[in-house]
Amino acid sequence: MIRSVVRGYGAALPKRVVPNKELESIVETSDEWIVQRTGIRQRYIAGEGETTASLGEQAARAALENAGLTPDDIDLVLVATSTPDNTFPATAVNIQNRLGMTHGYAFDLQAVCSGFVYAVATADLHIRGGMAKRVLVIGAETFSRILDWKDRTTCVLFGDGAGALVLEGQESEGTIADRGVLTAHLRSDGTHKEKLYVDGGPSTTGTVGHLRMEGREVFKHAVGMITDVIEAAFAATDTTAEDLDWLVPHQANRRIIDGSAKKLGIPPEKVVVTVDLHGNTSAASIPLALSVAAGDGRIKQGDLVMLEAMGGGFTWGALLLRW
Ligand code: ACO
């Protein structure tokens, strides 16, 4: 059977780093509060000329270089984002153009913080369905531009950035020893809409709007939802936490990450944490974390890696792959 195998990875961050201390002059907060409640120490904030598409393009170019490929080799550009450059055309088509591609196809996918898990799962279907041989899957965000910078309960949590994977269809044995995507489990439940949403949009206010969140409510549901889909991924592949080499979670909050790993019996040394460096970059957080951990040699070819995320909607999902 055909499996969607990771052939390359890459990431991009804005030039400007904003440590917690700097936020103390914007809202009533403290480095100590932010670190203790979230584990975040700094985030990157996009400046003039830096957009979701420009960061996504940079991450895509890095992933292509890592894969030893060029834009000519790509059939589909799939971008997970909730902060597109324009309402339309899709940021994916913008990036396709920036890469000089006039062949193939490109589209955006919107599942907020779960966007990258949804996007890898979708790319996998396009590859296994025969529509694309190689897919550039990008998570790119500029959440700084939809934050209410007067609201200390949200503005300290998020950051900007982008990450990308090149997925390639490869003939495989059809066992869990194969490299590539092994199983994906996606969920959503719109009854939780009011707990995490943006209070604007083209069809309602005609404005972009600002992120609104009932943090405590999100927190309350997060660990249960995350562990539920991870258990589903283990069950579908007849694997357990012991088989796992790495858990690469969406980087929202250190306490959610630690709580989920503990509940699943995954030891801290197998969990990739970058929330301290990047803050919550929504759909970009998982590919940014993958790039850090693959780049420093922790994630190696053949490793069993679980991706998981939960976010606005609510949406949530888990995906097991062999690197
Ligand atoms: N600085 C200082 N004090 C603050 C800040 C701040 N930035 N923000 C809130 N506070 C205050 C509150 O006003 C409150 O004060 P009060 O007791 O006088 O009313 C106190 O701190 C405690 O507030 P809580 O909201 O109860 O704090 P909590 O421990 O729940 O932490 C947090 C808040 C970090 C938002 C947490 O609820 C959380 O992480 N929730 C999950 C949400 C999340 O991660 N969302 C990301 C998007 S969804 C996703 O990606 C999964």
Side-chain angles (χ1 to χ4, degrees):
M1 67 177 288
I2 300 287
R3 296 271 195 205
S4 308
V5 175
V6 175
R7 167 117 187 218
Y9 60 87
L13 290 161
K15 287 185 201 72
R16 182 170 159 232
V17 188
V18 177
N20 291 345
K21 210 77 195 143
E22 202 175 316
L23 299 180
E24 292 176 5
S25 61
I26 300 171
V27 285
E28 203 183 320
T29 191
S30 66
D31 174 49
E32 191 193 357
W33 190 95
I34 300 170
V35 172
Q36 193 207 358
R37 303 286 175 131
T38 71
I40 298 166
R41 294 183 183 276
Q42 61 171 45
R43 74 286 295 135
Y44 292 78
I45 300 290
E48 214 184 314
E50 291 176 319
T51 68
T52 297
S54 78
L55 294 167
E57 177 197 353
Q58 250 181 284
R61 288 191 185 280
L64 284 169
E65 193 183 330
N66 181 258
L69 297 170
T70 72
D72 288 345
D73 300 312
I74 299 298
D75 306 305
L76 164 61
V77 180
L78 179 48
V79 175
T81 189
S82 305
T83 47
D85 280 31
N86 298 90
T87 302
F88 75 78
T91 300
V93 179
N94 185 337
I95 293 173
Q96 180 194 25
N97 180 46
R98 285 164 175 261
L99 293 174
M101 289 171 61
T102 50
H103 68 277
Y105 60 115
F107 65 95
D108 286 359
L109 182 156
Q110 210 270 60
V112 203
C113 298
S114 311
F116 196 75
V117 174
Y118 271 61
V120 174
T122 303
D124 178 46
L125 292 175
H126 281 246
I127 289 170
R128 286 192 291 122
M131 292 202 31
K133 165 110 168 104
R134 294 195 195 91
V135 183
L136 203 37
V137 190
I138 303 167
E141 303 279 16
T142 45
F143 259 52
S144 65
R145 300 205 165 122
I146 56 164
L147 294 174
D148 175 353
W149 285 97
K150 292 189 181 70
D151 176 12
R152 69 175 181 171
T153 69
T154 54
C155 75
V156 303
L157 303 174
F158 296 89
D160 303 332
L165 293 182
V166 177
L167 291 182
E168 179 178 82
Q170 292 181 7
E171 196 62 52
S172 305
E173 295 294 320
T175 72
I176 65 143
D178 292 344
R179 289 186 66 206
V181 176
L182 301 174
T183 191
H185 300 265
L186 308 180
R187 306 262 193 281
S188 62
D189 179 355
T191 58
H192 299 287
K193 179 190 165 202
E194 306 298 328
K195 297 182 181 105
L196 177 51
Y197 69 106
V198 170
D199 63 4
S203 185
T204 48
T205 58
T207 62
V208 172
H210 291 112
L211 182 148
R212 305 293 173 203
M213 179 172 71
E214 295 172 33
R216 220 174 299 183
E217 281 296 311
V218 177
F219 199 100
K220 213 168 74 188
H221 289 86
V223 173
M225 288 175 162
I226 290 164
T227 52
D228 183 53
V229 274
I230 291 178
E231 298 282 14
F234 281 139
T237 49
D238 204 15
T239 54
T240 68
E242 282 186 13
D243 298 311
L244 209 60
D245 293 296
W246 298 104
L247 173 67
V248 184
H250 167 51
Q251 309 285 320
N253 182 310
R254 182 76 205 233
R255 290 189 293 155
I256 295 175
I257 295 172
D258 291 348
S260 308
K262 193 169 172 206
K263 195 169 165 197
L264 291 159
I266 301 170
E269 58 274 18
K270 286 188 174 182
V271 183
V272 176
V273 178
T274 51
V275 70
D276 52 332
L277 301 173
H278 303 148
N280 181 348
T281 57
S282 193
S285 93
I286 290 175
L288 273 167
L290 285 171
S291 289
V292 169
D296 66 21
R298 272 180 287 171
I299 299 180
K300 296 181 191 67
Q301 191 168 314
D303 281 357
L304 195 60
V305 181
M306 181 76 77
L307 312 182
E308 63 83 352
M310 180 259 185
F314 292 152
T315 56
W316 64 108
L319 186 142
L320 188 67
L321 63 87
R322 194 172 296 283
W323 193 260

